[in-house]
Amino acid sequence: MAAPFSWIRPEPHGVHIVPADVWIDPSRAVDTALVTHGHADHARGGHGTTVATPETLAIMELRYNTREGATPVEYGETIRLKGGVDATYIPAGHVLGSAQILLEHAGERVVITGDYKRRADPTCPPFQVTPCDIFITEATFGLPLFTHPPIEDEMAKLLGRLQAHPDSCVLVGAYALGKAQRVIAELRAAGHKQPIYLHGAMEKMCRLYEEFGVDLGELRLVSDHEKDDMRGSIVVCPPSALNDRWSRRLPDPITAMASGWMRVRQRARQRNVELPLVISDHADWNELTRTIEEVNPHETWITHGREEALLRWHQLHQRSARALALVGYEDEDD
Ligand SMILES: [Zn+2]
Ligand SMILES: [Zn+2]
C-alpha cells in the first residue's frame, strides 16, 4: 500500500496528480492540465490537453487563443483519468465557469478549490461544500481585517453617487474577467436599467458572458459615443485605464474601483480612487474559516495568498494545515 495521499504532490509550479500524470492549474506548459478557471494565474496556454468547464475553455480561447486539446467537463460530471483517479468539477462561485476539482483515488478524497467565494453572484452557480480528506484552498484575503460588505451596500453607494452628480459619469475600474460582469449584473439587479458604457477592452468578455446566458442589459461602447451622451451614466473600464489619457473623453468622471483591496485605504489612494467599492470575487476571512469548518477536512493545504493567519487559525482550532510554496500565483482578479 502506498502512503496516504502520496498520489497528490504539491510542486512549485502546481499540484501534480502522480498516477494520472496531470497537473492542476500549472504555471508552466504540461501534457495534461486540469484548469479550475480562466484567470491568468490559473489558466495558461500551451498545454497538450486542457480539461475544464466549457465556459472556462471558451474564456481561455478568447484570452490566450488556446483551442488545441480542449476537453470540456460539465459541473457535476466525473471523468476517469489514468491510474484510477476520478475528477469531478464542482461550482466554485468565483467567475463564469469556475470550478473546484474533487479528486478521488484509493478511497481518498481531495478537493482543490482554485479561487472561490461564498457570496451569491448572478453570473455563476454558487460554491458547493464538498466533504473531503484534504481541502486545498486559496487564501487571497486570509486576514481577519478582510470582511467584504454586502454587495447591495456597495451598489447603493455607486447609484447614490451617480444620482447626486447627473452631469458627470461614474467610471468604475473592474477586472475584465468576472468583476466587470458581476458589477453590471448587480447593477441590473438593483434596478439600474440605463445603458452602461464599456471600455473597448471589456466588450468581448461581456459578449462571451451573454452567450453563456448571463443577461447584462444594454451595453454601449464608449468609443461609439459623444461625451454628452454619457452624462449621468456608469462607465466600466479595466483598472489600468482609470488614470489613463483614455478617460479624458468622459464627462467629468468620478473614479470608482470594485475590488476587495479597496478595504485598504492606501490602495484606493494609490489609484486616485474617489469611490472605493469593496467588491471581491474571493472569500473573505469569515468565508474562508466558515468554509473550512463546513468542509471539515482532516487537513487543509493553502495554495496562495496570505497563509500565516489562516495557519494560526487552524492551530487555535486544533486543525491541521500546511502552506504550499507554489510560484507564479498572483491574482489579477480580486
Ligand atoms: Zn481567480
Ligand atoms: Zn487565484
Side-chain angles (χ1 to χ4, degrees):
M1 269 271 301
F5 304 104
S6 55
W7 53 278
I8 178 153
R9 203 168 291 161
E11 302 278 359
H13 60 279
V15 173
H16 189 206
I17 312 304
V18 182
D21 193 23
V22 303
W23 296 81
I24 314 288
D25 290 353
S27 58
R28 69 175 191 211
V30 298
D31 283 346
T32 304
L34 309 192
V35 172
T36 59
H37 68 286
H39 282 136
D41 59 324
H42 298 261
R44 317 217 169 199
H47 306 309
T49 300
T50 301
V51 184
T53 62
E55 294 89 342
T56 296
L57 291 173
I59 290 165
M60 289 178 72
E61 187 179 338
L62 174 63
R63 302 186 103 192
Y64 320 114
N65 246 315
T66 51
R67 190 200 291 252
E68 303 289 293
T71 305
V73 188
E74 300 286 345
Y75 288 129
E77 188 184 339
T78 299
I79 53 165
R80 172 55 59 99
L81 305 169
K82 269 189 307 189
V85 180
D86 286 334
T88 307
Y89 282 57
I90 298 164
H94 175 58
V95 297
L96 181 74
S98 64
Q100 315 172 63
I101 302 174
L102 165 66
L103 298 156
E104 294 172 282
H105 179 66
E108 296 170 338
R109 290 162 64 89
V110 175
V111 167
I112 181 156
T113 64
D115 295 334
Y116 67 100
K117 69 174 173 295
R118 303 298 304 273
R119 310 293 174 99
D121 179 338
T123 70
C124 59
F127 181 94
Q128 271 176 32
V129 170
T130 305
C132 57
D133 304 301
I134 296 180
F135 185 60
I136 306 182
T137 182
E138 61 132 328
T140 303
F141 290 108
L143 284 175
L145 84 97
F146 290 112
T147 52
H148 309 322
I151 195 163
E152 294 78 12
D153 296 4
E154 305 306 280
M155 290 296 120
K157 259 198 252 173
L158 172 53
L159 291 169
R161 187 68 76 97
L162 189 68
Q163 252 167 19
H165 300 272
D167 291 332
S168 304
C169 68
V170 180
L171 175 61
V172 184
Y175 288 89
L177 166 53
K179 189 66 59 66
Q181 297 78 20
R182 181 177 174 214
V183 166
I184 294 168
E186 289 287 356
L187 282 166
R188 299 314 187 194
H192 184 74
K193 297 201 173 67
Q194 279 172 257
I196 291 174
Y197 291 84
L198 298 180
H199 183 286
M202 313 235 112
E203 189 193 10
K204 283 186 179 159
M205 192 61 75
C206 288
R207 298 297 170 216
L208 187 150
Y209 266 64
E210 289 172 329
E211 280 164 31
F212 280 98
V214 179
D215 184 8
L216 300 176
E218 186 182 349
L219 302 177
R220 293 179 176 173
L221 280 180
V222 167
S223 54
D224 292 342
H225 291 269
E226 300 296 324
K227 208 176 231 191
D228 282 340
D229 299 345
M230 295 182 270
R231 293 194 192 279
S233 296
I234 290 172
V235 182
V236 184
C237 73
S240 60
L242 272 182
N243 301 307
D244 191 272
R245 292 167 56 91
W246 171 84
S247 64
R248 288 188 204 164
R249 70 183 69 197
L250 303 176
D252 310 313
I254 296 163
T255 55
M257 170 132 171
S259 163
W261 297 113
M262 291 297 106
R263 173 66 77 205
V264 184
R265 270 176 199 288
Q266 205 186 336
R267 295 255 191 160
R269 249 183 274 126
Q270 274 166 5
R271 287 191 184 269
N272 295 318
V273 169
E274 297 164 65
L275 180 63
L277 302 169
V278 184
I279 300 173
S280 176
D281 286 331
H282 292 269
D284 67 7
W285 173 258
N286 293 324
E287 291 169 67
L288 287 171
T289 54
R290 170 165 70 97
T291 302
I292 292 158
E293 281 169 342
E294 290 177 5
V295 171
N296 197 23
H298 295 312
E299 188 165 86
T300 308
W301 293 0
I302 304 167
T303 51
H304 62 302
R306 277 133 211 86
E307 55 262 18
E308 299 81 8
L310 201 53
L311 286 171
R312 179 90 189 108
W313 177 88
H314 278 81
Q315 265 177 9
L316 289 171
H317 293 80
Q318 282 86 47
R319 290 183 176 276
S320 115
R322 58 183 280 209
L324 309 182
L326 300 184
V327 295
Y329 292 82
E330 190 53 54
D331 276 293
E332 57 163 343
D333 60 299
D334 37 39

